[in-house]
Amino acid sequence: MNGIKASPASRKDIQIYARYVKKKVGLENVLYFPILQFVENVVPLFYPKFQFEVVPISEMKEHGLTYPSSKIMKIREDVYYGAVKGDGRDRYTIAHETGHLFLHDNDSIALCRLGNSNDMMLYENPEWQADVFGGEMLASTYLIRGMCIADVHNKCGVSWAAARTQLKYT
Ligand SMILES: [Zn+2]
């Protein structure tokens, strides 16, 4: 299955945009980004028709699904409760879905169900873009400069892998 293309956005573009969103809600300098509270309480201020659904495991294979045009986000219940407990991977899933919501506007097909297309530029790949946005929301490169992986993992509430990736781009 071919993936769909998004408008091109570089890592730098997405970093700047994520920082803008964080600044707009007064969380620009907060190391531990409260992604769940953000999605449940703040996103509706950006998008009044936003719907957030927690879906039973039996009804959903994916960890998360987002329909950016209709502003619907579905998160599987185990992922939701993992994020409540502060699990880094689950927090990242929600941050990734938030990226689709803010960056993408074509939901003829739900994102995250798509296979990778080889002939797509990385900058046009909506999954790559959502990953960059999610990483930047949780472990902002401008805040973690000079920190070690363990500190980023602990202070930002992200997995070790995500901490390592974010530090690469500071
Ligand atoms: Zn996705």
Side-chain angles (χ1 to χ4, degrees):
M1 184 194 275
N2 288 326
I4 58 164
K5 281 186 184 180
S7 304
S10 69
R11 178 177 295 276
K12 187 89 199 152
D13 293 336
I14 296 168
Q15 285 176 333
I16 290 168
Y17 183 59
R19 185 170 184 167
Y20 163 80
V21 171
K22 290 181 74 167
K23 188 172 181 169
K24 234 181 137 134
V25 298
L27 294 171
E28 189 184 17
N29 296 313
V30 172
L31 266 177
Y32 190 93
F33 188 76
I35 186 66
L36 259 190
Q37 289 90 330
F38 177 77
V39 166
E40 292 187 293
N41 303 319
V42 180
V43 170
L45 305 176
F46 283 91
Y47 304 114
K49 68 171 182 172
F50 177 63
Q51 287 179 56
F52 182 69
E53 295 173 21
V54 179
V55 180
I57 300 175
S58 57
E59 291 171 26
M60 193 166 167
K61 182 163 57 72
E62 303 83 355
H63 288 193
L65 279 175
T66 297
Y67 302 78
S69 299
S70 39
K71 304 295 175 217
I72 295 171
M73 184 189 297
K74 299 182 178 203
I75 298 295
R76 209 172 65 189
E77 64 180 354
D78 56 320
V79 174
Y80 177 83
Y81 290 112
V84 169
K85 282 191 229 149
D87 180 88
R89 284 194 55 198
D90 292 331
R91 281 167 46 75
Y92 197 95
T93 295
I94 295 171
H96 171 103
E97 296 305 324
T98 306
H100 284 310
L101 198 69
F102 278 82
L103 297 170
H104 304 134
D105 213 43
N106 181 348
D107 65 353
S108 53
I109 312 169
L111 294 158
C112 288
R113 305 179 80 170
L114 303 164
N116 285 326
S117 171
N118 293 329
D119 57 1
M120 196 193 308
M121 297 291 292
L122 197 55
Y123 283 8
E124 298 171 325
N125 183 329
E127 296 312 320
W128 178 84
Q129 293 180 355
D131 271 346
V132 172
F133 183 89
E136 194 62 23
M137 290 301 273
L138 297 185
S140 306
T141 46
Y142 60 88
L143 292 177
I144 62 173
R145 216 162 276 147
M147 285 168 62
C148 64
I149 295 175
D151 274 354
V152 175
H153 164 69
N154 289 321
K155 293 183 178 163
C156 300
V158 295
S159 69
W160 286 78
R164 197 177 296 117
T165 301
Q166 286 307 103
L167 281 169
K168 241 195 279 176
Y169 297 105
T170 56

